[in-house]
Amino acid sequence: MKQSIQYGKSIIDFDLEYADRKTLGIKVFPDKKVEVIAPFDATEEKIMEKVKQKAAWIQKQQEFFLSFHPLTPPRNYVSGETYLYLGRQYRLKLVESNEACVKMVRGFIFIHCNDKTDKSKIKAQLDNWYKEKAEIHFPQLFSKWLPITKSFYPSEVDLKYRWMKKRWGSCDDKGQITLNIELIKSPKKCIEYVIVHEFCHLAFLNHSKAFYDLLEKHFPTWRETKNYLEHFMV
Ligand SMILES: [Zn+2]
C-alpha cells in the first residue's frame, strides 16, 4: 500500500505492509524507496505518527546512498534523439554502412551500422562507445585527485568501472573504487565529485560528520555538484 507523510518541505513516500510482528519496522533502500512494516493491529494514525518520528532518520538513510536515479526516458535509438556526453547534448544520427563505428562530430553522434532498425545492436554500439570514453576520462580524473588520499589512506587505491543500476560509485575497505560508466554522460565536475566522494570513503566507510568534513575540505562545492547530478542528469 502506497503511503506518504509530509516532513518539513519534503514528502516521504513509502510502501506500507503488515506483518505478524510487535513493532514497526522501517527499511530504506539504495534507490531511496522506503518500506514500512507494521504490526497487524497498528492503526493508520499510529503508523503515520511513528514514521513522522523517524523522518529525519529516513532522510539520513536516503542521503547515505550516493543516489542514482535514471531519469532518462526510454530510448528508441533513432536519428534525432539526444544523448548526453560529458554534460552536453548530442543528436544521434544513424548512418547505414557495412563498417560499424561511432563518431562524434560537431554536436552529433554518428552511428554507422548495417541495420538502422536493430535497436539492441545500436544500443550496444553506443554503450561501448561510452565505455571507451570512460576508459579515457575516468583514469585521468582519478589521477588528478589521487594525491588527496595520501594524507588519510597510505595504501594503493584501485580504479574500476562498470555499468551500475543504482549507484554512481562505490568504495570498499580494500581501496577499490568503482565508478558507474553512466557517469561519462555527466559534466567532468560531477565525475570528479563522485571520485572525491569515494576517496573520502577510504577514510570513513560511512556518511558521518567526519566524512562530510573531509569531503568539504577537498571539494567545497560538493553540494551543488551532487544536486546537479541528482536532479539535472536526464
Ligand atoms: Zn557515499
Side-chain angles (χ1 to χ4, degrees):
M1 200 191 326
K2 299 264 178 236
Q3 292 283 359
S4 59
I5 58 149
Q6 178 91 32
Y7 177 65
K9 279 185 184 153
S10 49
I11 289 166
I12 297 175
D13 295 310
F14 60 92
D15 279 324
L16 176 62
E17 274 171 40
Y18 291 91
D20 186 14
R21 54 183 294 157
K22 289 205 168 65
T23 57
L24 189 98
I26 301 176
K27 273 191 208 161
V28 182
F29 295 91
D31 59 359
K32 297 200 174 191
K33 275 210 178 75
V34 181
E35 193 180 277
V36 174
I37 305 160
F40 285 120
D41 60 355
T43 63
E44 197 164 305
E45 200 185 359
K46 191 90 198 154
I47 293 166
M48 293 303 182
E49 190 193 308
K50 278 260 162 77
V51 176
K52 252 181 200 167
Q53 281 169 7
K54 288 289 230 172
W57 177 84
I58 291 169
Q59 285 194 329
K60 211 171 162 194
Q61 295 304 304
Q62 289 178 320
E63 201 71 0
F64 176 84
F65 301 105
L66 182 59
S67 58
F68 167 55
H69 317 272
L71 302 167
T72 318
R75 294 303 173 133
N76 292 311
Y77 299 93
V78 292
S79 288
E81 270 185 334
T82 55
Y83 287 83
L84 282 166
Y85 169 61
L86 290 179
R88 293 213 179 131
Q89 298 268 11
Y90 290 86
R91 211 162 276 281
L92 190 69
K93 187 111 178 89
L94 302 178
V95 181
E96 198 129 318
S97 163
N98 284 328
E99 218 172 308
C101 71
V102 182
K103 284 178 196 158
M104 195 173 50
V105 189
R106 272 179 266 117
F108 284 93
I109 295 175
F110 286 92
I111 298 191
H112 293 242
C113 54
N114 61 10
D115 182 0
K116 293 206 277 185
T117 61
D118 193 340
K119 289 188 208 308
S120 63
K121 213 165 162 187
I122 292 162
K123 181 185 186 297
Q125 269 183 278
L126 187 60
D127 283 351
N128 192 52
W129 179 80
Y130 275 129
K131 184 168 168 266
E132 283 171 14
K133 293 294 178 191
E135 274 161 7
I136 296 167
H137 293 284
F138 289 1
Q140 278 175 10
L141 300 170
F142 180 86
S143 303
K144 176 183 166 183
W145 286 94
L146 191 61
I148 67 163
T149 63
K150 294 293 168 258
S151 64
F152 53 82
Y153 193 81
S155 315
E156 201 163 315
V157 188
D158 201 26
L159 171 68
K160 271 193 185 155
Y161 24 87
R162 59 186 176 87
W163 295 99
M164 289 191 264
K165 284 231 157 60
K166 305 215 159 150
R167 320 193 63 172
W168 288 115
S170 66
C171 171
D172 70 14
D173 57 359
K174 290 170 196 74
Q176 173 73 62
I177 306 277
T178 307
L179 297 178
N180 191 340
I181 295 170
E182 194 82 31
L183 267 176
I184 197 66
K185 297 176 184 175
S186 71
K188 275 191 184 173
K189 191 95 195 149
C190 294
I191 304 173
E192 293 184 47
Y193 156 66
V194 175
I195 290 171
V196 176
H197 180 112
E198 299 307 338
F199 278 168
C200 292
H201 278 314
L202 294 168
F204 306 99
L205 274 172
N206 53 39
H207 291 96
S208 57
K209 175 153 191 320
F211 168 84
Y212 282 111
D213 286 346
L214 187 63
L215 180 62
E216 179 98 30
K217 183 181 160 197
H218 293 290
F219 208 91
T221 60
W222 67 270
R223 280 185 193 83
E224 58 222 65
T225 316
K226 180 176 188 282
N227 192 49
Y228 184 94
L229 198 54
E230 292 178 354
H231 299 282
F232 299 101
M233 276 298 293
V234 291

